[in-house]
Amino acid sequence: MSSIGQATLADGRKIPYVITDNPPAGGMKYTYFSPDKSYVVQFFNDPSKVDTNMRSRLEAILTRYNPTLPEGKGGAVGNDEKTAEYFSKRFCWPTDIVVYPEFGIVSPTYPKSFFFGSNASDILDLKGKDKKSNWFTGKNRKYLNPAELGDFHSMLQTALLLSRSIRRLHQAGLAHSDLSNNNVLIDPKSGNCVVIDIDSLVVPGIYPPEVAGTRGYIAPEVVESLELPAGDLNRKAPSAYTDLHALAVLIYEYLLRRHPIIGPKIYSAESAEKDDYLALGPMATFIENPYDTSNRPADLKATIHDLGPELEALFLRAFVDGLHDPDKRPSAMEWERGLVRTWDQMHRCSNPNCDYKWFVLYDPDKPVCPFCGTKIDDTELVQLNFSRHIRGQKGKWRRYSKLLAVNNTPIFGWHIKDNIFPDEKADKQRLGYICNYKGNWFLANEHISGLVSPSGNSVPAGSGSIMISDGTQFLTSNDEHGLLVTVSVKKIK
């Protein structure tokens, strides 16, 4: 049986919620839905832990640290309406504090795309359950309807969106403290994700963490010090640095469908508990560590090397240099930039039965999908190699990025100028595109202002184009932020 209750908010407003006998419950809260299921009212399992510190933290999270609220309305510094709207889709951010009948919070309900439907699996009863990432990256993946699974392309987008969200958290001075498969819901069909359990955020130096994290995502330094008493100066608490470990673990799982630390190595025969402690704490070893292969699975196929040099370098920093040295871990912004550049090197696999469907074709001399071993059926590959001007050195250029092009590949602002980055504020208008017409390749100029032809002439927007072939060079713009493009056309034998 159910009934309608009323929750009184901190500002005096009253809102309805549906009281049920067995509400969904997590480690810290239990949940009731609104009558129209547009929001949830959550109360804490242990009211004795609700103190002034918790109230102050929640007030700060809902206002001055809130990236889903414009600065003009009391939200995070630097937030405009567009940015707030963007991140309101990336976070399930609390909107109000409940003061009666108990202390709690109000949050928007996750979009329907983050819940399994009735056709999610013919074997498992998943209807209505959250789409936690381990359903898609673990062994249970085989039980899901193929339509739910997405592909490498959508999962790389998920990784990019997550890194952007965590970058925004850290820019606001916050840390999640329990970033994991449980607190990031994903929808591989669309490539979207949403970060949840926001009420436990850590404000460094002001509001300490309340949880250590989730097994497999807790940073090794935290695992190593868990048994130390609270208040011990050697005990490591969750922070932005530990978020960066969890972020790298999630990205690795999204792209390669395995855990980067949990491997075949036995660290202790004394007990399963000690083995687990050593494996995830003081002796944690990356399964792809190039200097220590003791934890490497025998059946590794695609590796971080197959993800291209940008991501390979980031994973080595995260799980070799930074695994036990938090200062060396890549920032969320570095992950965001690396994933953006990797996105421009994606190519569809020619095998219609390939489970990944896409791969990173970073080396034109090796046009083979690393996931299924299929060689692409293209006859040639077109790559635009971008260089940026070295400030203060006229005529000097430095390698900047690359774009692998097929017919109708779009050109955006970040392919034109080096001071534009495809973040939440970027203009996503297509400015041009690469096309093949009667066997020749062209850059069609739709809206590029200042495009310069190989001969030095202006290429008009709306009607102009540049014929490109192997070795063609041109400027995307004649101002200081314009890029020098060198075209490479590789014949596939």
Side-chain angles (χ1 to χ4, degrees), residues 17-33 40-47 50 98 100-106 197 199:
Y17 64 96
V18 180
I19 301 173
T20 56
D21 292 335
N22 294 297
M28 295 184 64
K29 302 182 295 295
Y30 59 97
T31 301
Y32 294 115
F33 285 87
V40 295
V41 175
Q42 296 181 300
F43 299 112
F44 290 87
N45 295 332
D46 187 354
V50 177
V98 178
Y100 182 83
E102 297 178 45
F103 185 81
I105 59 172
V106 179
D197 276 6
D199 53 287

Side-chain angles (χ1 to χ4, degrees), residues 346-367:
M346 298 275 275
H347 195 284
R348 183 178 288 277
C349 180
S350 297
N351 176 8
N353 297 315
C354 179
D355 195 29
Y356 281 75
K357 296 182 176 61
W358 292 78
F359 68 101
V360 182
L361 207 174
Y362 65 91
D363 184 356
D365 290 323
K366 297 179 181 178

Side-chain angles (χ1 to χ4, degrees), residues 182-253:
N182 290 328
N183 292 326
V184 181
L185 305 184
I186 69 173
D187 176 29
K189 291 186 291 185
S190 64
N192 284 323
C193 65
V194 62
V195 181
I196 64 174
D197 276 6
I198 301 298
D199 53 287
S200 296
L201 293 179
V202 175
V203 183
I206 305 176
Y207 307 118
E210 295 183 339
V211 294
T214 301
R215 180 186 180 275
Y217 302 91
I218 307 174
E221 67 272 16
V222 175
V223 173
E224 189 172 354
S225 64
L226 279 176
E227 294 184 359
L228 295 176
D232 191 308
L233 295 179
N234 293 314
R235 181 169 175 144
K236 305 298 182 183
S239 65
Y241 287 111
T242 63
D243 278 357
L244 295 178
H245 172 76
L247 174 62
V249 172
L250 285 166
I251 293 173
Y252 187 90
E253 289 183 313

Side-chain angles (χ1 to χ4, degrees), residues 78 83 144 156 167 170 215 220 256 288 313 350 352 439 446 476:
T83 303
L144 298 181
L156 192 137
R167 182 259 295 166
H170 291 177
R215 180 186 180 275
L256 294 172
E288 294 191 53
S350 297
E446 295 177 294
T476 59

Side-chain angles (χ1 to χ4, degrees), residues 11 79 177 193 248 252 254 269 310 328 403 427 429 478:
D11 62 6
N79 243 26
S177 81
C193 65
Y252 187 90
Y254 293 166
E310 294 274 353
K328 294 181 178 179
L403 173 64
D427 186 344
Q429 180 190 25
N478 51 18

Side-chain angles (χ1 to χ4, degrees), residues 110-124:
Y110 321 140
K112 290 182 180 179
S113 59
F114 296 109
F115 292 102
F116 284 112
S118 58
N119 63 343
S121 173
D122 293 332
I123 297 174
L124 303 173

Side-chain angles (χ1 to χ4, degrees), residues 72-137:
K73 296 181 180 179
V77 174
N79 243 26
D80 56 21
E81 292 282 352
K82 180 179 178 181
T83 303
E85 172 65 20
Y86 179 89
F87 284 112
S88 68
K89 299 174 182 176
R90 304 275 83 85
F91 296 105
C92 192
W93 207 274
T95 57
D96 295 283
I97 292 175
V98 178
V99 295
Y100 182 83
E102 297 178 45
F103 185 81
I105 59 172
V106 179
S107 296
T109 305
Y110 321 140
K112 290 182 180 179
S113 59
F114 296 109
F115 292 102
F116 284 112
S118 58
N119 63 343
S121 173
D122 293 332
I123 297 174
L124 303 173
D125 181 15
L126 297 178
K127 184 179 180 181
K129 291 187 178 180
D130 301 347
K131 290 185 177 179
K132 298 177 181 179
S133 63
N134 57 319
W135 284 110
F136 305 96
T137 62

